Amino acid sequence: MKKSFLLSAAVALVYSQIGTIQAATDKEVEVVHWWTSGGEATALKVLKDDMQKRGFGWKDSPIAGGGGDQARTVLRARVASGRPPEAMQMLGFNIQDYAEEGLLGNLDSIASKEGWDKVVPAPLSRFSKYNGHWVAAPVNIHRTNWIWANKEIFDKLKLTPPKTFDELVAVADKIRKAGYIPLAHGGQAWQEATIFDSAVLSAGGPKFYKQALIDLDPKALGSKTMEKAFAQMQKLRGMMDPNFSGRDWNVATSMVINGKAAMQIMGDWAKGEFLKAGKKPNVDFLCFQYPQTEGSFTFNSDQFAMFKVGDDQAAGQMQLASAIMDKGFQEKFNIAKGSIPARMDVSGDNFDACGKKSMADLKVALKNGSLLGSFAHGHAMPESVKSAVYDVVTKSFNNLQVTPAQSVQQLVKVVEDSK
Ligand code: GAL
């Protein structure tokens, strides 16, 4: 009698545990993202932990590949087969594309309850909202026109951050003569495009960048100034080691961290790698703007877009959106990630020198119109035009036989054809 009672109690316990597991799975949110490097994973953990505290499981669906090209391809396939995740890391125009297809959910209720409109700057919410409705929650503001440098090499060779492109060429010469690789780079289209953001800004300034890469004005695209940008790219190519092909961006960052290479031109997610390796700004590494881009800000904002799913899952999506927009989260996450908050009301006190500089420059750029969407990261032009321009940039970069004048001609043509 006693035995059978124990047995049925045990069975009941097992069932109740299954019930709990079931409930936990129901309260799970699947998130597709490409944050797989050391720094990226550390930052993402802040969000995973916050979701757990809110009582939701995190179904992690990472798709490796910096810049997110692979993740976007996988997402396309999943959407085509009717299996979109609840949430997906997305950038700029890509958010608008999915919204236009009617696939994204509506976050207006949580956005108005929490007053997102008051704290998210318009150049960001322009991508988070579609037809006036919130469809994505912005996590951060990254900046692409940075150079990351190994301070020990700079000190040893008595170098200071170059202010002009010619100075950068001279600095690179000295570094090469001293036996280091001047520029660490990973030969992937998005990384070349990231450098191109800076080269265009440096060659022509913020107004030119806007005319060419945002307004897609054929005159600007076909100009001598644009030739200068391609010429800079080809010069930069000469500062790299011969093995850059296919190298991941974080491997290139580690070359700077370890003192094999002196500099990397990369968005401030690179800072996440330095921090993860225990390095400190202005002690172990330097951060400064690509020459002749000081004060301008090419931005890239990671957002989480929520797909239209059943009512059961919507609760989890709202919690995720709310967790992302939490002030404390935005501070903690962005300190680890290398970016700055997407909310304008987070104090910069706890950010390091590079973060503080970015926050100060952002405020100025917002006022004087030099806050510009990054071409490389989908914030300047629609996706279809972007991929056509990517091709022109990588062709020029990987084949020095193609002259800057030829690249400019191709640029005008592909933009015209894909508009
Ligand atoms: C960008 C993304 C960043 C960073 C980078 C490298 O597209 O916006 O957050 O992670 O890719 O993976």
Side-chain angles (χ1 to χ4, degrees):
M1 178 76 173
K2 209 176 170 192
K3 232 183 192 175
S4 76
F5 170 76
L6 279 178
L7 187 68
S8 55
V11 170
L13 184 70
V14 168
Y15 271 104
S16 80
Q17 275 179 350
I18 290 173
T20 319
I21 293 164
Q22 193 59 49
T25 331
D26 285 349
K27 287 181 75 182
E28 204 176 55
V29 182
E30 187 191 6
V31 185
V32 177
H33 63 89
W34 60 92
W35 283 337
T36 55
S37 79
E40 290 172 335
T42 304
L44 188 62
K45 190 169 178 302
V46 181
L47 187 56
K48 288 182 186 171
D49 291 350
D50 283 2
M51 280 302 278
Q52 223 136 43
K53 278 182 217 145
R54 286 169 184 251
F56 284 84
W58 176 281
K59 186 169 179 228
D60 202 35
S61 294
I63 296 156
D69 283 331
Q70 287 88 328
R72 281 185 287 276
T73 307
V74 169
L75 181 70
R76 226 340 120 204
R78 283 192 55 169
V79 169
S81 62
R83 292 183 307 113
E86 276 119 29
M88 164 82 190
Q89 179 187 358
M90 270 193 210
L91 305 175
F93 281 90
N94 204 222
I95 304 172
Q96 298 291 302
D97 287 346
Y98 280 104
E100 197 182 333
E101 289 174 49
L103 293 164
L104 300 185
N106 185 324
L107 304 175
D108 284 351
S109 58
I110 189 89
S112 70
K113 192 170 148 222
E114 296 182 354
W116 296 2
D117 271 306
K118 280 182 242 125
V119 292
V120 178
L124 248 68
S125 60
R126 173 243 181 280
F127 293 110
S128 337
K129 288 166 108 174
Y130 182 75
N131 278 346
H133 301 292
W134 287 89
V135 293
V139 188
N140 61 10
I141 302 177
H142 271 302
R143 184 182 198 175
T144 63
N145 58 317
W146 285 109
I147 296 187
W148 305 91
N150 179 300
K151 188 167 183 292
E152 202 182 313
I153 300 179
F154 264 57
D155 286 350
K156 201 169 143 195
L157 304 180
K158 300 195 172 47
L159 303 172
T160 50
K163 294 265 179 275
T164 63
F165 189 73
D166 289 345
E167 276 178 40
L168 176 64
V169 174
V171 159
D173 271 352
K174 285 187 190 150
I175 295 168
R176 173 82 77 202
K177 282 193 186 114
Y180 304 98
I181 299 163
L183 208 54
H185 176 66
Q188 294 170 350
W190 74 271
Q191 296 190 55
E192 273 123 46
T194 301
I195 302 181
F196 193 65
D197 277 359
S198 287
V200 174
L201 192 57
S202 171
K207 260 204 195 123
F208 175 77
Y209 181 100
K210 182 172 178 296
Q211 280 164 357
L213 298 183
I214 296 176
D215 301 340
L216 302 176
D217 169 7
K219 259 202 215 126
L221 290 167
S223 65
K224 287 277 170 213
T225 308
M226 189 53 89
E227 279 186 32
K228 275 192 202 155
F230 280 100
Q232 280 197 12
M233 293 289 290
Q234 294 199 328
K235 265 253 184 293
L236 294 170
R237 160 87 194 265
M239 301 175 191
M240 296 163 185
D241 66 312
N243 303 321
F244 66 78
S245 196
R247 179 188 286 147
D248 286 329
W249 67 274
N250 53 319
V251 175
T253 310
S254 69
M255 289 166 67
V256 181
I257 294 175
N258 302 331
K260 249 185 109 177
M263 298 177 282
Q264 182 185 18
I265 301 165
M266 188 43 68
D268 35 22
W269 44 91
K271 191 179 79 181
E273 299 305 297
F274 282 96
L275 300 179
K276 178 83 188 165
K279 305 293 179 191
K280 296 203 164 46
N282 295 330
V283 176
D284 306 299
F285 67 94
L286 302 171
C287 58
F288 49 89
Q289 261 46 73
Y290 184 94
Q292 295 154 202
T293 73
E294 184 61 66
S296 293
F297 198 120
T298 37
F299 82 95
N300 168 27
S301 169
D302 291 297
Q303 311 216 13
F304 281 91
M306 311 290 168
F307 279 88
K308 259 185 207 157
V309 286
D311 287 346
D312 294 356
Q313 291 123 300
Q317 292 180 317
M318 290 298 169
Q319 283 295 332
L320 179 62
S322 171
I324 287 170
M325 291 305 293
D326 180 82
K327 256 175 108 169
F329 162 77
Q330 292 250 340
E331 181 185 53
K332 205 169 166 196
F333 172 90
N334 284 300
I335 285 174
K337 184 69 168 64
S339 37
I340 57 173
R343 297 179 63 115
M344 296 302 287
D345 60 347
V346 178
S347 152
D349 290 353
N350 294 327
F351 282 75
D352 61 31
C354 313
K356 284 196 170 85
K357 181 173 192 298
S358 218
M359 286 173 98
D361 287 356
L362 177 78
K363 283 202 185 109
V364 177
L366 267 169
K367 275 202 196 115
N368 69 12
S370 53
L371 182 65
L372 304 155
S374 154
F375 144 69
H377 298 271
H379 286 73
M381 57 187 79
E383 283 294 295
S384 52
V385 192
K386 185 194 100 175
S387 23
V389 178
Y390 259 43
D391 285 350
V392 177
V393 172
T394 38
K395 262 189 211 137
S396 150
F397 190 79
N398 289 292
N399 182 358
L400 300 182
Q401 308 298 325
V402 182
T403 66
Q406 287 168 333
S407 293
V408 161
Q409 273 174 10
Q410 288 168 12
L411 187 65
V412 175
K413 186 170 183 318
V414 300
V415 170
E416 190 51 41
D417 291 352
S418 54
K419 256 205 260 183

